[in-house]
Amino acid sequence: METRRLITILTGIAVAIVLVIGGIVVLGSLGGGDDDGGSASNGGSPTPNLPDRVEGELRLFGPDPVTLDPACASDAGSAEYIVEIFSGLVSFDRDLKVIPDIAETWDISPDGTVYTFHLRKNVLFHDASRRVIAGDFKFSMERALNPDTQSTVGEVYLDDIVGAQAYIDGDVDEVTGIKVVNDDTLEITIGAPNSVFTSKLTYPTSYVVDRREVQDASCFEGAEWTLSPNGTGPFKMKDWELGQRIELEPNDGFYLEPKPSVEKVTYLLSG
């Protein structure tokens, strides 16, 4: 079974961090199956307010996410959806090897402190209004580190980067270790060689978001944009009924293979 994303929970990188990879592309190969996750235990009555099932739909039970903001996710339940809607520079394969994602290739300096990421030129935001460029990653990572965002995980995953602490402390206006070389090239400098640095970049904190819709939203204010986020992942948000269900639909413009093989995914939410 070919796949690019799995749901994998790991602990133990420095502070028992959680690294989550998606799972819908795997499940998509099942074609939705015959089991209807919306049936109740009293003889199969449909869940109230659940739309009629469509051909090729996959229904699953899922946790009620705390947030769908990549900069703010500190729990595996939220990350389960975020990894399908958004994406980052790198990801994991099924053997937990770091592999290219939006970054097609990268180079590491001889001293192990400078990472130069070369971005794919065919990655569009879900609304297809424009492609992702290096400046979008600088914005997204700096947003995760910005104290105004109030992220509890930004510093955990991005503290290796030169200038991150000074930015968090308010001493500088940008993270000096995140440099936009050009639209297709992002350079990240870390303070010392770290063999797990690229692994840490697989966490949603480093995922790219659309600055046009996020603007100055924090983890606790202005989160309305997450109800219909303009991500880059293999699935797009179709509908989010808070406390009831999340509906995802395939991103036909997804830049990697395999592309989603289901018509729709409906998560029936549980607390």
Side-chain angles (χ1 to χ4, degrees):
M1 183 186 301
E2 296 297 326
T3 181
R4 190 183 69 93
R5 294 173 180 247
L6 312 169
I7 299 177
T8 305
I9 301 175
L10 300 177
T11 58
I13 295 182
V15 287
I17 58 180
V18 179
L19 301 177
V20 181
I21 314 160
I24 291 179
V25 174
V26 180
L27 293 170
S29 65
L30 299 177
D34 295 323
D35 178 45
D36 190 341
S39 63
S41 59
N42 60 351
S45 298
T47 302
N49 303 319
L50 189 62
D52 291 339
R53 188 167 185 166
V54 300
E55 184 176 355
E57 177 185 358
L58 176 66
R59 289 187 176 179
L60 303 167
F61 289 106
D64 205 346
V66 176
T67 179
L68 292 186
D69 186 336
C72 307
S74 60
D75 65 295
S78 296
E80 181 173 341
Y81 308 105
I82 290 172
V83 297
E84 305 299 350
I85 299 170
F86 301 91
S87 51
L89 292 168
V90 292
S91 185
F92 278 127
D93 66 10
R94 65 174 63 198
D95 297 316
L96 303 182
K97 177 183 177 182
V98 176
I99 58 173
D101 199 317
I102 292 179
E104 189 168 23
T105 61
W106 62 90
D107 308 308
I108 306 174
S109 64
D111 66 357
T113 63
V114 181
Y115 290 72
T116 304
F117 295 93
H118 306 282
L119 308 188
R120 301 178 192 273
K121 296 179 175 63
N122 64 332
V123 181
L124 302 177
F125 286 103
H126 284 162
D127 66 1
S129 60
R130 70 174 181 86
R131 74 181 186 94
V132 174
I133 58 177
D136 295 315
F137 275 101
K138 181 174 175 67
F139 166 83
S140 301
M141 292 183 185
E142 288 184 339
R143 175 176 177 265
L145 289 166
N146 192 326
D148 292 339
T149 303
Q150 298 177 282
S151 171
T152 61
V153 288
E155 184 175 0
V156 173
Y157 291 94
L158 302 174
D159 63 340
D160 298 294
I161 301 175
V162 169
Q165 192 59 55
Y167 184 69
I168 293 170
D169 293 340
D171 296 333
V172 294
D173 295 330
E174 66 170 334
V175 180
T176 56
I178 305 176
K179 179 182 178 182
V180 175
V181 178
N182 53 49
D183 284 352
D184 306 321
T185 311
L186 183 73
E187 183 182 279
I188 300 179
T189 303
I190 59 178
N194 186 343
S195 61
V196 299
F197 177 65
T198 52
S199 295
K200 293 171 75 173
L201 292 181
T202 66
Y203 194 77
T205 316
S206 300
Y207 285 10
V208 67
V209 296
D210 185 352
R211 72 179 79 188
R212 298 169 298 177
E213 68 171 0
V214 175
Q215 299 185 31
D216 59 353
S218 74
C219 295
F220 301 99
E221 294 183 357
E224 293 82 7
W225 70 272
T226 62
L227 294 174
S228 184
N230 193 31
T232 54
F235 285 85
K236 302 188 292 186
M237 178 71 76
K238 180 177 177 63
D239 187 35
W240 182 6
E241 295 291 333
L242 297 178
Q244 296 186 38
R245 67 180 182 273
I246 286 178
E247 297 179 11
L248 304 179
E249 60 184 358
N251 172 18
D252 294 333
F254 189 51
Y255 51 91
L256 291 178
E257 298 292 342
K259 291 180 171 58
S261 58
V262 295
E263 293 300 317
K264 177 182 176 183
V265 181
T266 300
Y267 280 96
L268 308 179
L269 302 181
S270 58

